[in-house]
Amino acid sequence: MSFPPFNYVLLSKHLLHKGEDMKRLRLAVLISGSGTNLQSLLDRSQDGRLAADVVVVISDNFYAQGLLRASAAKIPAYVVNYKTHHQEAKYSGSIIALDSLDQTQRILKQPDKALRLQKLAGLVRAEKALIDILDPYELDYICLAGFTRLVSPYFINHYNSKSEHRIINIHPAMLPSFPGLHGYEDTLAYGCRWGGVTVHFVDSGEDTGPIIAQSIYPIWRTDDVDSIRKRGLQLEYELYAQCINWLAEGKVEILSGGPFRTSTLINDEDYPQILKNWVDLAFSK
Ligand code: GAR
């Protein structure tokens, strides 16, 4: 795997000087597809650039290539079949009362309440299956990495409290622009001159949670979706690992100030240099 030497030195400095008292985080990684972000986390965990261990992987897709990556790294991997859970909800109903959940959820937009509740019931069943797998692993964070399912407040409230956010996501666009499943396509189709990638905590909306870090890459006239995805993914790997290291170092402060949107603050004296490294990386690809 290639990475820019300057970034390696910077992260090594953190690990060498602060390694002794730095807690290694226990992570779950949730995937749906190729799992290159998962691979980057596995590689970095192995070679010391990540202060965390991936202890479990779950996919909603039996054919996800990321499952092979987990198995090659000898990490326990599971599949939760959402289709089965939706089917069970259709015939057997919900496992919990759904009314208050429906009032707080912001992901299911069906105006028909019966249909919406049925969808929510299936989601909750699938999420209960996720939780049953995840909890015995005593996790610090759940990292969504190309996981294409929306998560409901049932799942989120199980892991989050007012002061603690434990689910993070990597998104291939400069949020709040272009939420959803097609970040690179939407960025290019809009005619943006810059694209971005975002790591954020997950809340009850679609890609609306508090942002931890963002960076940008230039879009050139010769680019197509494949070339910007390639450029963006290199950034994704750097950002995700850096954010996890900041969490391990206790450098991510959550500001939940009354009427204001919950946001974060990174307490790292190297922050400006790290940001510059990301932009340099984007120009080098
Ligand atoms: C990544 O680009 C990630 O940001 C994106 O899926 C891709 C997964 O790639 N996630 C989303 O679009 C979530 N809304 P990977 O499987 O190779 O890591």
Side-chain angles (χ1 to χ4, degrees):
M1 219 187 93
S2 67
F3 49 84
F6 47 79
N7 216 13
Y8 184 67
V9 170
L10 196 63
L11 286 175
S12 297
K13 191 177 83 181
H14 280 290
L15 295 179
L16 289 177
H17 292 315
K18 298 171 187 165
E20 290 305 305
D21 52 2
M22 193 159 68
K23 179 178 183 282
R24 271 188 94 72
L25 299 177
R26 293 172 64 79
L27 308 178
V29 180
L30 271 53
I31 56 162
S32 295
S34 64
T36 63
N37 271 287
L38 165 66
Q39 188 66 58
S40 149
L41 295 177
L42 291 171
D43 292 345
R44 288 160 197 253
S45 175
Q46 268 283 318
D47 67 20
R49 285 175 293 159
L50 189 74
D53 297 306
V54 178
V55 296
V56 59
V57 171
I58 306 184
S59 175
D60 63 324
N61 168 18
F62 190 80
Y63 301 102
Q65 199 197 331
L67 289 172
L68 300 177
R69 299 178 189 275
S71 138
K74 300 192 166 47
I75 310 290
Y78 302 80
V79 176
V80 169
N81 186 340
Y82 273 58
K83 213 171 159 187
T84 313
H85 290 290
H86 279 295
Q87 220 115 60
E88 276 178 13
K90 204 166 165 187
Y91 296 111
S92 312
S94 179
I95 51 170
I96 59 160
L98 289 178
D99 268 342
S100 72
L101 202 61
D102 186 42
Q103 276 154 30
T104 50
Q105 69 88 16
R106 290 189 286 131
I107 46 173
L108 302 176
K109 308 264 165 62
Q110 285 92 341
D112 181 316
K113 188 171 176 193
L115 258 182
R116 197 173 62 240
L117 290 186
Q118 188 189 307
K119 202 119 205 256
L120 198 53
L123 202 53
V124 166
R125 278 177 179 269
E127 289 176 349
K128 163 93 170 54
L130 290 180
I131 290 168
D132 287 347
I133 296 168
L134 292 172
D135 278 0
Y137 287 94
E138 298 181 353
L139 301 160
D140 294 297
Y141 289 96
I142 292 143
C143 303
L144 311 186
F147 187 61
T148 55
R149 302 283 173 170
L150 296 168
V151 291
S152 84
Y154 174 78
F155 187 77
I156 295 167
N157 295 341
H158 185 80
Y159 292 107
N160 282 8
S161 64
K162 238 196 159 80
S163 56
E164 238 192 346
H165 291 60
R166 292 175 54 208
I167 312 170
I168 45 182
N169 182 41
I170 177 96
H171 184 75
M174 198 69 175
L175 292 173
S177 294
F178 314 126
L181 290 179
H182 307 289
Y184 290 119
E185 289 84 348
D186 294 345
T187 300
L188 192 69
Y190 195 88
C192 294
R193 299 295 190 263
W194 294 87
V197 304
T198 305
V199 176
H200 64 96
F201 288 116
V202 172
D203 72 0
S204 58
E206 186 180 15
D207 299 323
T208 54
I211 289 166
I212 306 171
Q214 291 184 302
S215 192
I216 51 171
Y217 59 86
I219 298 176
W220 309 117
R221 57 194 290 179
T222 49
D223 272 324
D224 57 19
V225 173
D226 288 343
S227 62
I228 67 161
R229 178 178 286 110
K230 203 166 154 212
R231 194 170 303 133
L233 274 169
Q234 298 305 315
L235 270 184
E236 290 190 34
Y237 307 149
E238 296 297 327
L239 260 72
Y240 220 172
Q242 180 63 72
C243 288
I244 290 165
N245 282 337
W246 277 329
L247 288 165
E249 294 168 346
K251 289 180 173 172
V252 182
E253 203 177 318
I254 296 183
L255 308 171
S256 39
F260 301 110
R261 212 185 117 75
T262 300
S263 60
T264 69
L265 200 65
I266 305 299
N267 295 308
D268 185 342
E269 62 193 28
D270 294 328
Y271 183 70
Q273 184 60 48
I274 290 170
L275 247 58
K276 186 176 177 307
N277 291 348
W278 287 340
V279 176
D280 288 347
L281 170 67
F283 269 90
S284 73
K285 296 286 170 187

